[in-house]
Amino acid sequence: MSSFRQLVRRTAMTLLLITALLSTFQSVSGVEAKTVLRSFLSSAPVDHEADRGAKGSAKHDNRSAPRLEEQFDWSKYPSVEVVATGYTAGIESTGKTPDHPEYGITYSGVRVKRDLYSTIAADLSIFPIGTILFIPGYGFGVVADKGGAIKGHRIDLYYETVEDVYKYWGKKKVNVYIVQKGDGTLSEEELIRLNEDETMQVFRQQYLESKS
């Protein structure tokens, strides 16, 4: 995990340095920094309509941000094919209503979260609590929960609403990458630390914007 963190830190610091240099370039030359940055990040598509419109300039296009799928060689990590579905904290998934004292609380004790590192459910005999998976198209998932129907190579990805489950995921077979095997424990502090790591914020923004 430490080597992964070092790789992430180097990549993020390089991107932040480039952004700072391009901002200086823009102030001197009048050329928009994002135009040059998009050329550098050739793997990210450019939305010209969003560049021109006032509405587009007020809100970032998530597709123009550096994406984790494209920034790292995930083949270096062990992978396994799973069937991934989506779930919510609501009665349709957990049988609990918002007035239930344990509403939104996972088996590990942490509260459900959709973020760069989101809470997911898995078969704990395969992926113990605290295991960090990278799920293409979803992001990092931290195993925090279990489920009666989540047995074998199945995982459940947390979303805030049923509409989000159907809009963004549904049910898929996907190869997930095991970034770190859990030790059976997970705390709120650890989850906060993962999501607020300053070297990861350049990647985190796309997940925060997808919730707005």
Side-chain angles (χ1 to χ4, degrees):
M1 183 63 178
S2 59
S3 61
F4 173 74
R5 287 285 180 82
Q6 291 174 358
L7 176 61
V8 169
R9 186 178 296 274
R10 285 197 296 269
T11 303
M13 293 303 294
T14 299
L15 290 170
L16 290 172
L17 176 61
I18 291 169
T19 301
L21 291 173
L22 290 174
S23 296
T24 303
F25 174 75
Q26 177 181 348
S27 65
V28 174
S29 67
V31 176
E32 289 193 21
K34 65 182 178 180
T35 302
V36 182
L37 183 59
R38 282 173 174 169
S39 296
F40 175 77
L41 297 172
S42 58
S43 61
V46 179
D47 188 342
H48 297 287
E49 292 298 326
D51 288 341
R52 286 195 290 268
K55 181 178 179 180
S57 62
K59 183 176 181 180
H60 294 294
D61 181 354
N62 291 334
R63 295 175 301 169
S64 66
R67 300 188 64 82
L68 284 165
E69 285 86 344
E70 301 160 350
Q71 297 300 315
F72 303 100
D73 181 6
W74 296 105
S75 65
K76 294 179 180 179
Y77 296 91
S79 68
V80 60
E81 185 181 73
V82 300
V83 174
T85 49
Y87 80 104
T88 72
I91 192 169
E92 64 282 336
S93 296
T94 66
K96 300 172 184 175
T97 57
D99 59 351
H100 192 287
E102 294 183 359
Y103 180 82
I105 304 300
T106 65
Y107 178 76
S108 67
V110 306
R111 184 165 293 277
V112 290
K113 181 180 291 293
R114 176 69 178 118
D115 209 321
L116 176 61
Y117 288 85
S118 302
T119 54
I120 65 173
D123 184 330
L124 304 187
S125 67
I126 297 177
F127 302 118
I129 294 289
T131 296
I132 299 176
L133 304 177
F134 180 72
I135 304 117
Y138 181 78
F140 290 108
V142 184
V143 177
D145 215 343
K146 64 178 183 176
I150 307 302
K151 303 296 183 184
H153 290 86
R154 296 179 64 93
I155 59 175
D156 228 357
L157 313 180
Y158 174 70
Y159 283 96
E160 294 184 344
T161 67
V162 175
E163 290 77 12
D164 284 348
V165 170
Y166 287 104
K167 179 179 179 181
Y168 296 113
W169 195 263
K171 179 179 180 181
K172 300 178 184 179
K173 278 189 177 181
V174 61
N175 283 314
V176 300
Y177 299 91
I178 305 170
V179 176
Q180 176 179 300
K181 199 72 174 286
D183 63 1
T185 64
L186 180 66
S187 67
E188 289 283 1
E189 291 75 15
E190 184 177 1
L191 199 54
I192 290 171
R193 178 177 54 80
L194 287 168
N195 278 302
E196 295 187 356
D197 184 338
E198 63 181 33
T199 64
M200 296 296 291
Q201 298 311 298
V202 67
F203 303 110
R204 185 186 187 193
Q205 194 60 35
Q206 63 188 282
Y207 298 94
L208 296 179
E209 287 183 356
S210 69
K211 294 163 55 177
S212 60

